[in-house]
Amino acid sequence: DAGGDGTGHRGFLGSRPTRSLHSLRKPSLTSRNACFYQMPQYRAIALSLDLLGLLPAPDDVTEFVADDRPDAYERVVDRLLASPHFGERWGRHWLDLARYADSDGYEKDLPRPFAYRYRDWVIGAFNADLPFDQFTVEQLAGDLAPNTGLDQRLATGFHRQTLTNREGGIDPREDRDKQLVDRTNTTGAVWMGLTLGCAQCHTHKYDPISQREYYQLYAFFNAAQEQEIPAATEWEAQRYAALQAAHTVRRQPLVDAINAYRATMLPQQLAAWEQRLKDEPIAWTSWESTEARAESPAELRRQPDGSWLAAGVVPDVDAYTFTFPIGRQRPTGLLLEMLPHAELPNQGPGRAPNGNYVLTEVKVAWQTGEPGKSKPQSVRIASAQADYVQNAGTPKAFTPEKTFDNDPKTGWAVGGAIGQPHALLVELDGNTLPPADQDVVLSVTLEQRYGGQHLLGSFRLLTTTAARPLTLPQAADHIADILAISPDQRTDAHREQLLHYYAAIDPGLLDLTTKLKAVDDAGPRPPITKGMVFAQSDQPPATHIHQRGDFLSPGMAVEPAVLEILNPLESSSATPNRLDLARWLVSEAHPLTRRVAVNRIWQQLFGRGIVDPPDDFGLRGAPPTHRELLDWLSVEFATRNWSVKELIRLIVTSETYQRSSAGRPELAEIDPKNLWLARQNRFRLTGEILRDLTLQVS
């Protein structure tokens, strides 16, 4: 009698264990007070620690002790299994198997700011009691499974938890090989309890797993590629949607005003502008500067045509400043003409090795009297136009508007049209210039902070006092042709082109669009949360056996395949993929996956597994202490829809789990290691639980 208390209750682990391993018996109603069961309050505490990793609330213990219903204990089990803390407690063990970390490791140990998205998926999967077979498939091949969504993609973060070396001077191929080896070995240990790593370098004489088979498993992961995808949490998505809805309401009046202006005022303003061009053509003037200097030791040489050529030293970044005494004139715009030159790379007009440049900022200021005698006052730039934009229409466009956004890493550039003249027209806000009753000195600074010697090479600065809106000469060539046509002779296409061009320079419309841009700039930003996931490569690299385990010594080529000593693989295509591998692991014929999973759960509840250690089910590992019990539990696990919660409930409501851990002298000689579990094992709480308990009770 394993109980030894004279009550006649026989434990299922008695002197002849193989005759009583076919069921996990629940204790009878009276057995709660038998000497080999824990006292009720301690049973409640132990159960809460095992299932949640937290102490029960005092009221919960009191309620349990006072509950005389036959299923009082089962009610507590069900309540704990439904707690959100269950996923935190049991998900942590899985995260250990997944090598979970929020940084890369190695010397730099760079952070992985969104690693928590995989952690949260694991916790959610345990709380939702995701069937373990599906839990397996989604982590190994969620990107390939049918009806793939964000959750399935996030699940593939399991194999993104490997150490990653981003230090300088590493060989990326070597680092990738280390990651693939880790993924292969981890898959073998986590789902099959096998130490596959021994076959990485060569085939062992007495090992049933060959080196060829090792690299056939390796090939499944060699065909995958790493990705980072948008992965906003549900809370982030809901919050962004609410903020976006409020923002839409906020901006709608401006949208309505712009639409109304386009329908009524814009055609009228276009007609007035066209008449003004006939009466007062725009004149551009090249003023003599009293000072022209570069921030660097480079020289600015004045050319006979009034242009400037930067020569001498070619620094990484620079800034050119020009000073003009303009008296009582008040310019409305500046025209920067970029000119090809034989002394520049590829004719310029920039100084970069490819002839390009990036003008990052245009800054205009004025002061009265002699320069340096008064504080310069900034002039606001109202708008900018250019005849050419590098990467136009893309997020990486180098547009003229970026010459006054105060960002040193953006600007205007002309890559794709090197060796040609270009122009930038900057319109000034007259409200930021002084009244025309005093003499003024104007300064213009052309900043080039992008780096890589992307500097202005050959250029000319012109100004005008014509009324706004101004017309960019180079950009208006096709517009001039349309303007030369009598209005009653223009086609619909002519009128559309003219209106489209004028809309970009009309002051009233620009004012409204500037206000709308300010509202949008202050609007909500989409969540930046990313998920570290897997995706199948369209053109996976060939996989070779690594001779002596050295990735620089490729041997025979191999295709993805599984271990020959286990059940055969069923594949839906000529070349098996990770989805085939995952389904093979959870197939009914696979002898290891269920047993390994059951054994780990048993280990957490009893301190040691039926097979110990839990990651070594191979020839070198210890045989099961209760083989038939392990077999039966693995069958029950699958029968109960691979439910982790159902399996845990089955175990913790059993007679054996609820036994007291108090030792008895007569067992010390019969079973000193308590392999037959005549009592519950004593084992220490983990460091994480101790930390949580400290926080909880304080």
Side-chain angles (χ1 to χ4, degrees):
D1 181 6
D5 64 332
T7 62
H9 290 290
R10 181 172 181 79
F12 67 83
L13 299 172
S15 58
R16 297 182 65 191
T18 57
R19 293 181 60 86
S20 53
L21 299 180
H22 303 293
S23 65
L24 287 171
R25 289 172 46 209
K26 299 179 182 179
S28 65
L29 175 61
T30 59
S31 64
R32 289 177 59 214
N33 297 318
C35 70
F36 58 89
Y37 291 115
Q38 302 172 25
M39 294 176 65
Q41 59 266 42
Y42 296 120
R43 290 169 65 201
I45 292 172
L47 188 64
S48 183
L49 289 173
D50 276 347
L51 298 192
L52 305 185
L54 297 170
L55 292 169
D59 290 345
D60 291 338
V61 176
T62 302
E63 180 183 345
F64 171 62
V65 172
D67 192 346
D68 291 330
R69 287 175 293 184
D71 61 347
Y73 180 78
E74 286 79 359
R75 288 172 178 269
V76 174
V77 171
D78 291 339
R79 177 174 57 80
L80 295 178
L81 290 175
S83 168
H85 298 304
F86 173 82
E88 297 165 2
R89 164 74 168 90
W90 287 85
R92 179 171 56 79
H93 303 309
W94 188 261
L95 291 171
D96 287 342
L97 297 173
R99 308 88 79 210
Y100 173 78
D102 55 12
S103 60
D104 283 347
Y106 293 104
E107 181 266 333
K108 287 191 180 299
D109 201 25
L110 296 173
R112 296 173 177 173
F114 303 116
Y116 70 89
R117 291 298 280 124
Y118 171 71
R119 177 203 66 194
D120 288 354
W121 180 86
V122 170
I123 293 172
F126 274 96
N127 279 333
D129 200 18
L130 186 69
F132 189 79
D133 56 345
Q134 185 179 345
F135 183 73
T136 295
V137 169
E138 290 189 5
Q139 290 183 92
L140 289 178
D143 56 309
L144 300 174
N147 303 317
T148 293
L150 177 60
D151 280 353
Q152 287 71 38
R153 297 295 306 280
L154 289 174
T156 63
F158 177 89
H159 271 319
R160 288 297 309 277
Q161 306 301 316
T162 52
L163 289 168
T164 302
N165 196 339
R166 289 191 274 177
E167 299 170 12
I170 66 161
D171 185 338
R173 296 174 303 163
E174 180 183 19
D175 186 53
R176 185 171 187 272
D177 175 64
K178 288 181 177 179
Q179 293 183 25
L180 293 175
V181 165
D182 174 70
R183 288 162 183 161
T184 305
N185 295 346
T186 300
T187 301
V190 169
W191 276 281
M192 295 183 283
L194 299 179
T195 51
L196 302 177
C198 294
Q200 178 187 347
C201 299
H202 56 89
T203 299
H204 288 250
K205 183 185 297 185
Y206 302 111
D207 197 326
I209 302 172
S210 68
Q211 189 185 25
R212 172 179 55 81
E213 291 173 280
Y214 180 88
Y215 285 98
Q216 287 173 336
L217 281 175
Y218 176 106
F220 283 106
F221 304 106
N222 195 26
Q225 58 184 6
E226 298 179 351
Q227 287 185 352
E228 275 70 45
I229 62 172
T233 65
E234 184 178 357
W235 178 85
E236 287 174 330
Q238 292 174 350
R239 179 175 180 272
Y240 176 67
L243 292 174
Q244 191 65 23
H247 174 67
T248 300
V249 172
R250 231 178 2 257
R251 72 193 298 271
Q252 193 59 44
L254 281 171
V255 173
D256 295 340
I258 289 173
N259 291 335
Y261 189 95
R262 283 181 174 275
T264 57
M265 293 298 297
L266 193 62
Q268 300 175 24
Q269 296 296 331
L270 170 59
W273 171 73
E274 185 176 347
Q275 186 60 46
R276 191 164 61 248
L277 285 179
K278 293 178 181 179
D279 299 339
E280 303 174 15
I282 296 175
W284 294 97
T285 305
S286 176
W287 280 331
E288 288 290 335
S289 60
T290 57
E291 183 183 23
R293 58 183 172 82
E295 186 178 73
S296 72
E299 303 175 38
L300 292 177
R301 298 175 182 171
R302 182 76 167 181
Q303 304 298 296
D305 62 355
S307 64
W308 297 91
L309 177 66
V313 175
V314 185
D316 192 55
V317 297
D318 211 338
Y320 307 154
T321 300
F322 301 88
T323 305
F324 307 98
I326 63 173
R328 300 192 176 188
Q329 299 184 66
R330 296 297 178 261
T332 54
L334 302 176
L335 182 65
L336 175 66
E337 292 184 321
M338 300 300 302
L339 307 171
H341 198 285
E343 295 185 18
L344 297 173
N346 293 325
Q347 300 291 310
R351 304 191 76 187
N354 64 353
N356 201 1
Y357 59 86
V358 180
L359 177 61
T360 55
E361 295 291 324
V362 176
K363 295 184 177 178
V364 183
W366 63 270
Q367 54 187 319
T368 57
E370 297 181 21
K373 296 293 185 179
S374 61
K375 183 178 179 180
Q377 304 294 317
S378 296
V379 179
R380 192 181 78 85
I381 294 176
S383 64
Q385 310 170 47
D387 70 313
Y388 182 84
V389 173
Q390 178 176 323
N391 299 332
T394 73
K396 296 183 179 180
F398 288 80
T399 60
E401 294 83 6
K402 293 178 180 178
T403 59
F404 55 97
D405 63 355
N406 293 316
D407 186 346
K409 284 301 179 184
T410 65
W412 173 55
V414 293
I418 301 300
Q420 304 172 25
H422 296 287
L424 173 76
L425 171 58
V426 173
E427 293 197 56
L428 305 179
D429 183 353
N431 295 325
T432 56
L433 284 165
D437 59 356
Q438 52 187 324
D439 292 336
V440 170
V441 175
L442 196 72
S443 67
V444 178
T445 300
L446 306 175
E447 294 188 354
Q448 305 134 73
R449 308 292 186 194
Y450 190 78
Q453 301 180 332
H454 284 78
L455 311 172
L456 305 182
S458 175
F459 56 93
R460 179 166 44 222
L461 265 176
L462 305 169
T463 63
T464 186
T465 57
R468 293 178 59 203
L470 303 173
T471 305
L472 184 66
Q474 284 84 344
D477 287 346
H478 69 289
I479 298 299
D481 294 338
I482 297 174
L483 291 172
I485 303 172
S486 175
D488 58 352
Q489 298 295 317
R490 295 171 188 166
T491 65
D492 290 342
H494 288 151
R495 284 186 282 272
E496 184 177 347
Q497 290 181 56
L498 193 59
L499 191 63
H500 177 76
Y501 175 80
Y502 180 74
I505 61 175
D506 178 76
L509 188 57
L510 284 174
D511 182 60
L512 288 172
T513 54
T514 299
K515 290 178 180 177
L516 181 61
K517 182 178 183 300
V519 171
D520 286 341
D521 288 345
R525 294 290 178 268
I528 61 171
T529 306
K530 301 289 184 183
M532 300 168 56
V533 302
F534 256 2
Q536 192 75 355
S537 175
D538 294 332
Q539 295 181 328
T543 301
H544 296 265
I545 293 176
H546 296 170
Q547 300 181 67
R548 296 176 180 252
D550 184 0
F551 75 100
L552 294 176
S553 300
M556 180 182 71
V558 295
E559 294 292 329
V562 297
L563 307 181
E564 294 176 1
I565 60 171
L566 300 178
N567 52 302
L569 175 70
E570 295 181 3
S571 176
S572 57
S573 60
T575 303
N577 57 30
R578 283 177 288 113
L579 183 58
D580 297 315
L581 173 65
R583 288 172 172 169
W584 172 77
L585 285 169
V586 296
S587 65
E588 184 178 356
H590 200 288
L592 291 173
T593 302
R594 286 171 291 172
R595 289 171 172 82
V596 170
V598 164
N599 189 62
R600 285 205 179 93
I601 292 172
W602 185 277
Q603 178 194 25
Q604 298 303 329
L605 296 172
F606 288 93
R608 62 176 292 156
I610 299 172
V611 176
D612 192 39
D615 294 337
D616 195 351
F617 274 53
L619 295 175
R620 299 296 299 272
T625 55
H626 303 86
R627 181 181 59 79
E628 292 183 47
L629 174 62
L630 182 62
D631 292 346
W632 179 78
L633 285 173
S634 71
V635 172
E636 280 293 303
F637 189 33
T639 302
R640 295 169 185 251
N641 193 32
W642 297 76
S643 169
V644 171
K645 286 188 176 182
E646 281 294 308
L647 181 64
I648 291 174
R649 192 181 193 280
L650 174 67
I651 295 175
V652 300
T653 56
S654 70
E655 181 181 22
T656 302
Y657 172 81
Q658 296 179 67
R659 285 177 175 158
S660 167
S661 59
R664 302 203 303 280
E666 68 272 19
L667 296 176
E669 296 182 5
I670 301 173
D671 186 16
K673 294 184 178 180
N674 194 35
L675 297 181
W676 285 0
L677 295 173
R679 59 176 175 82
Q680 174 60 282
N681 282 321
R682 296 179 178 182
F683 51 95
R684 296 182 182 277
L685 298 174
T686 62
E688 292 92 340
I689 290 181
L690 288 174
R691 176 182 179 276
D692 288 346
L693 294 182
T694 303
L695 294 172
Q696 182 188 18
V697 301
S698 61

